[in-house]
Amino acid sequence: MIEVKGLYKSFNELEVLRGIDCHIAEGEVVCVIGPSGSGKSTFLRCLNLLEQPTSGEIIIDGVSLTDSKTNINEVRQKTGMVFQLFYLFPHKTALENVMLAPMKVKKLSYSEAKSLGLSLLEKVGLTDKAHVYPEQLSGGQQQRVAIARALAMQPKVMLFDEPTSALDPEMVGEVLAVMKDLAREGMTMVVVTHEMGFAREVADRVIFLDDGRIVEEGPPQDIFTNPAQQRTRAFLSKIL
Amino acid sequence: MDTILYVTPLLIQGAGLTIIITATSVAIGCVLGLIAGLARLSGNAVFRALGTGYIDFFRGTPLLVQIFLVFFGIPGLITEVQNWAMASWGIEPLIKDPNLPILWAAITACSLNSGAYIGEIFRAGVQSIERGQMEAARSLGMSHWQAMQYVILPQAFKRIIPPLGNEFIAMLKDTALLSAIGVEELARKGQLLNADMFAPFEIWISVAFLYLLMTLTFSRLVDALERRLRTGDRG
């Protein structure tokens, strides 16, 4: 589903990603962990070209993102993105947030978009908040609307950029529960996270990123209980 | 007191023209400002330079000079060019009377001036929207322009209502400068009446009061509009 070959990304002098190769299969749930500044978020943002890679190749669902002939707006429809700070559209209700892109990008009719929006809000447990503006929602509710909004484009892959880092602790659970449901339904997911419990329970594979490189990857039980690399062990000992 | 009661209805005619010129100019200024503001934010260096040049010129020179430039300068230039074309190649003048009707000149100058200030207001408004809004819209597959249209500009419009209201009030007062070319707006009406009656205090205090009435009424309207639009805005 996702093929990354020799991905490099620099911001001016600063080299953030130094050669990343990985393959993510359809239906796989991959958690990317690592210390701050390791390049996790940049890696994720390259997967939908919110950051333009300096070099390397990214292929999603058979389409090369790095090919200059590719229409980025079309490829981005295949990848839903959930941000740490939600970024709901504050001038639109929860339902309108979900309906906007399907109507404007996919040219769905109002009634089609509305029934799609309502079914997605139901999926994230927020049917009763459909007509409420984001400012009246808690952080956890906003993030669930954001997930519904991303799902509305019917993406093949969902990218999560520290989706629970900005939430009060009591709201983390409701967002993780929605993500677990998605994983169970077979969605391909790449999750940058500090939630080791989630990674351990839901991920098929954990990638440990440090200093712009993949240091170690494998099934969560291996990474968490028996890491092969010293750096992985040092990182995990600090956070577990 | 009698003088004030006598001049006020006459001054109100001038105030009507003041409002018409201000409203028209700010409305045209909004269109020019949106174009100039978006040009300044454009990725295209030529658009950026054009937008910046326009805004710098009209914010960096006095409105009075701009009024003279439009009313006297442009017709003067047209005449010179036509004379030169006639002398060099014998081309008959295309424009027989290059003078602009006075109201047109007034509205042209004020619109160009207003557009420059509003351009900066739009630019600041768009830039005040956090970058994540654009990224969220783009991540859903919207084009840059779709994201502008449906996500960024609607939020920016709400934020620019107060500065836009200020611009309207500033322009309303600045139209007094049009008296210099003889537009019979409120200040000019005051001059004319005073030349007739020579009652400077009564006349100018009435003029001042009418300006105050217009600016205060308008700023209350903007406040009310701002309160109504506050729904759904975090900022």
Side-chain angles (χ1 to χ4, degrees):
Chain A
M1 177 63 60
I2 304 177
E3 195 70 58
V4 178
K5 292 179 201 153
L7 176 64
Y8 283 80
K9 172 67 189 177
S10 308
F11 295 100
N12 301 317
E13 299 297 292
L14 184 70
E15 202 170 43
V16 180
L17 298 179
R18 309 164 187 236
I20 295 206
D21 295 276
C22 79
H23 171 84
I24 295 167
E26 185 163 358
E28 201 179 3
V29 177
V30 173
C31 283
V32 182
I33 62 170
S36 60
S38 58
K40 319 182 285 290
S41 286
T42 306
F43 169 61
L44 196 73
R45 290 162 59 85
C46 281
L47 295 182
N48 68 354
L49 293 191
L50 283 182
E51 303 294 351
Q52 191 69 42
T54 308
S55 67
E57 201 181 3
I58 300 169
I59 298 165
I60 292 183
D61 196 28
V63 181
S64 170
L65 272 64
T66 34
D67 187 335
S68 60
K69 287 190 289 289
T70 302
N71 179 343
I72 31 170
N73 297 328
E74 266 170 39
V75 202
R76 280 187 179 137
Q77 297 174 36
K78 299 185 181 201
T79 55
M81 177 106 175
V82 175
F83 299 86
Q84 185 178 353
L85 298 174
F86 335 130
Y87 297 134
L88 289 184
F89 307 136
H91 58 305
K92 299 205 171 282
T93 62
L95 180 60
E96 289 166 348
N97 263 275
V98 182
M99 289 167 64
L100 182 67
M103 283 175 68
K104 300 304 177 189
V105 179
K106 284 196 168 168
K107 311 291 178 202
L108 255 58
S109 74
Y110 180 85
S111 58
E112 287 170 324
K114 189 172 176 184
S115 64
L116 173 69
L118 286 172
S119 73
L120 286 169
L121 286 178
E122 191 187 343
K123 187 187 181 79
V124 300
L126 289 172
T127 310
D128 54 328
K129 301 289 182 190
H131 302 291
V132 164
Y133 285 94
E135 65 171 359
Q136 294 154 274
L137 296 173
S138 72
Q141 290 169 335
Q142 289 192 47
Q143 194 61 298
R144 286 189 281 154
V145 174
I147 293 172
R149 178 179 70 177
L151 289 172
M153 292 304 287
Q154 281 148 341
K156 303 253 174 143
V157 179
M158 284 287 283
L159 309 174
F160 293 85
D161 190 2
E162 302 196 23
T164 56
S165 297
L167 297 176
D168 290 335
E170 74 268 25
M171 293 168 185
V172 169
E174 60 189 70
V175 172
L176 293 180
V178 169
M179 292 168 63
K180 277 180 206 165
D181 284 349
L182 267 182
R184 213 169 294 136
E185 287 166 20
M187 176 64 80
T188 311
M189 293 163 64
V190 185
V191 186
V192 169
T193 188
H194 295 296
E195 295 291 333
M196 296 305 152
F198 176 82
R200 204 188 285 246
E201 187 186 340
V202 182
D204 297 306
R205 178 160 43 129
V206 172
I207 293 179
F208 174 62
L209 210 66
D210 192 16
D211 215 13
R213 290 191 185 90
I214 293 179
V215 174
E216 186 168 357
E217 60 182 307
Q221 56 272 28
D222 292 2
I223 298 279
F224 288 118
T225 53
N226 191 19
Q229 300 292 325
Q230 178 55 39
R231 272 149 80 194
T232 318
R233 228 168 290 150
F235 172 71
L236 289 172
S237 71
K238 272 182 230 156
I239 57 159
L240 287 179
Chain B
M1 199 62 210
D2 284 352
T3 318
I4 292 178
L5 288 177
Y6 173 71
V7 297
T8 300
L10 300 169
L11 290 174
I12 286 174
Q13 295 171 11
L17 190 59
T18 294
I19 290 175
I20 289 168
I21 293 173
T22 306
T24 314
S25 301
V26 173
I28 298 172
C30 280
V31 178
L32 293 174
L34 181 59
I35 296 168
L38 291 177
R40 280 207 56 172
L41 292 167
S42 159
N44 182 317
V46 177
F47 288 159
R48 253 195 336 266
L50 286 172
T52 308
Y54 164 68
I55 288 171
D56 282 351
F57 181 83
F58 284 95
R59 294 205 322 159
T61 54
L63 177 57
L64 185 62
V65 173
Q66 295 161 18
I67 292 167
F68 288 158
L69 199 54
V70 172
F71 188 59
F72 301 119
I74 302 292
L77 177 70
I78 293 172
T79 309
E80 278 178 45
V81 169
Q82 293 195 138
N83 289 347
W84 173 76
M86 183 74 185
S88 311
W89 298 305
I91 299 172
E92 289 291 325
L94 289 169
I95 306 166
K96 298 285 178 239
D97 177 11
N99 289 314
L100 275 175
I102 191 164
L103 201 58
W104 280 70
I107 287 172
T108 304
C110 290
S111 300
L112 286 168
N113 181 273
S114 200
Y117 283 95
I118 294 173
E120 281 298 87
I121 293 172
F122 269 119
R123 183 188 59 78
V126 167
Q127 283 181 332
S128 78
I129 306 299
E130 57 187 338
R131 227 183 69 188
Q133 290 288 319
M134 177 57 94
E135 290 188 346
R138 297 303 304 273
S139 79
L140 292 165
M142 285 188 221
S143 67
H144 179 85
W145 179 241
Q146 284 177 323
M148 264 294 171
Q149 199 181 345
Y150 303 118
V151 176
I152 306 297
L153 289 178
Q155 294 183 60
F157 282 139
K158 272 186 209 170
R159 289 194 194 174
I160 67 174
I161 285 171
L164 214 52
N166 286 341
E167 166 58 19
F168 187 95
I169 288 168
M171 183 45 69
L172 192 129
K173 293 183 291 178
D174 284 348
T175 53
L177 291 166
L178 294 169
S179 58
I181 56 170
V183 178
E184 290 195 24
E185 42 64 66
L186 179 52
R188 179 70 181 157
K189 275 276 194 255
Q191 283 177 339
L192 294 172
L193 278 171
N194 192 41
D196 242 16
M197 301 168 62
F198 198 70
F201 179 74
E202 290 85 345
I203 287 171
W204 290 114
I205 197 73
S206 306
V207 169
F209 185 74
L210 284 173
Y211 274 115
L212 191 64
L213 190 69
M214 290 190 284
T215 53
L216 287 182
T217 308
F218 189 75
S219 64
R220 295 292 177 281
L221 281 175
V222 174
D223 286 347
L225 185 62
E226 211 187 321
R227 268 196 303 279
R228 271 197 55 183
L229 286 174
R230 202 162 289 159
T231 339
D233 192 356
R234 285 180 284 200

